[in-house]
Amino acid sequence: MTEQFEFTTTEEQTDAVDTSVFGEDTRAEAKQIIARYPESRSALLPMLHLVQSVQGHVSPAGMKFCAEELALSVAEVSAVATFYTMYKRTPCGQHLVSVCTNTMCAALGGDAIYKTLGEHLGVGHEDTAGEPGTEGSITLEHAECLAACDLAPVLQVNYEYYDNQTPEQALELVKALQRGEKPKPTRGPELSDFRGAERQLAGFFDDLDETVTGSSQAIETNRGAALAQERGWIAPSMPDDAELPPVPEKK
C-alpha cells in the first residue's frame, strides 16, 4: 500500500483520525469557502490551502476534515492532494524556498543556486532545515517552472518572487530568513510566512491593503509593450468580413 493511501485502507482507520486541530474558526472559514461555489466539491483546492494554513502541510487529519466538509470520500481528497505539488505531505518550514530549475533558469544559473542552497542547508528536495514551523526553518524545493523566464534565474519564498538571482544573492537571502528576517521580494507585497501565504491562497486576506501593495510588474516583462508604443507598432485588425473556419461537427 502506497504512503498516500495508508490511512484510508479501512473505514476503522479513517474514523480513528482526529480532526480536532481544526477549531470552530477554521470550520466557519471552510463553510465560507464552500459557499463560493455552486458545487461544494469545487471548493477542494482552496480547502486544502486552508488546511495547510493551520498545520503547515496536508495531513491525514486535514484530508478527513476536507472530506467531511465537502461530503467526499477521503480517497477522493487524497487523489487530489497527492497530485498537486503545492500540497505538502510533510510539515513545511516557516518559509518555502522554491528554486526554478527549468531550462531557462537552469542555463542561467538555477542549478547552481539550488546546489548552493542545498549544501548550505544540508537538505534535498522538499526537505526542511530546522524544526518545521519554527522561526528560521526552511523547506527547499526545486520548481519545474516559475513562469518568469524574462527574469531568470528566479526563486520564490512562499510564492513571492526574487528575480535575477545569483548563488551568492540566494545564499544571503536564505541566511537572512534563517535569522528571522524577511527580505523584501523583488516584486509584490511584503513577505509573509508559508502558513500566511497558504491562508491567502485559501482566499482570506486579513490585511488586504498590505497584501496588494507593491507592483507585480517588471521592466523586462513590459519591454515588448514599451517598444511597440515607442515605435508605433500595432497588431493588424481583423476585417469585419473575415471568413472564419467552420465549427467542427460534434460526433
Side-chain angles (χ1 to χ4, degrees):
M1 183 63 65
T2 57
E3 177 193 357
Q4 61 263 38
F5 295 112
E6 66 180 3
F7 56 90
T8 63
T9 52
T10 67
E11 284 190 25
E12 183 179 348
Q13 287 175 307
T14 300
D15 292 341
V17 175
D18 182 11
T19 62
S20 62
V21 65
F22 303 103
E24 290 304 314
D25 289 346
T26 303
R27 293 178 184 276
E29 288 175 342
K31 288 178 171 52
Q32 291 181 47
I33 293 174
I34 295 168
R36 301 172 192 160
Y37 300 91
E39 296 289 340
S40 62
R41 65 185 300 128
S42 300
L44 179 54
L45 298 186
M47 283 278 290
L48 289 168
H49 284 299
L50 180 66
V51 164
Q52 289 198 138
S53 75
V54 174
Q55 290 192 298
H57 72 302
V58 177
S59 67
M63 293 193 194
K64 182 181 178 184
F65 169 71
C66 290
E68 291 174 342
E69 295 292 328
L70 298 172
L72 298 172
S73 70
V74 176
E76 287 175 306
V77 175
S78 177
V80 172
T82 57
F83 179 83
Y84 294 103
T85 59
M86 69 270 205
Y87 300 124
K88 307 306 179 187
R89 298 305 314 280
T90 57
C92 245
Q94 181 187 23
H95 300 295
L96 173 65
V97 176
S98 311
V99 181
C100 185
T101 55
N102 211 335
T103 307
M104 183 65 74
C105 282
L108 295 176
D111 285 342
I113 290 172
Y114 181 77
K115 182 174 184 289
T116 297
L117 298 185
E119 289 176 348
H120 169 70
L121 296 170
V123 299
H125 176 58
E126 291 194 335
D127 290 336
T128 299
E131 184 66 27
T134 61
E135 184 168 324
S137 57
I138 293 175
T139 299
L140 178 67
E141 68 175 3
H142 66 78
E144 190 61 27
C145 181
L146 295 181
C149 298
D150 48 344
L151 299 161
V154 300
L155 62 82
Q156 290 180 338
V157 179
N158 309 324
Y159 307 116
E160 298 296 345
Y161 282 98
Y162 293 81
D163 304 321
N164 297 311
Q165 291 290 295
T166 65
E168 294 75 22
Q169 289 173 321
L171 182 58
E172 286 306 309
L173 169 61
V174 164
K175 287 181 177 179
L177 295 172
Q178 289 181 299
R179 293 193 297 267
E181 301 171 17
K182 292 184 178 180
K184 185 173 177 58
T186 307
R187 300 173 272 141
E190 298 295 325
L191 185 65
S192 176
D193 58 19
F194 176 71
R195 296 191 187 194
E198 286 298 304
R199 181 167 173 77
Q200 293 172 14
L201 289 169
F204 296 101
F205 299 91
D206 301 318
D207 187 347
L208 183 59
D209 290 340
E210 180 66 25
T211 303
V212 299
T213 58
S215 174
S216 61
Q217 302 179 26
I219 294 174
E220 294 88 340
T221 306
N222 294 326
R223 185 57 183 149
L227 278 173
Q229 187 173 22
E230 291 167 10
R231 301 180 184 185
W233 296 340
I234 58 173
S237 59
M238 178 182 289
D240 293 337
D241 58 351
E243 185 176 347
L244 299 177
V247 177
E249 291 184 8
K250 292 184 178 180
K251 298 182 179 179

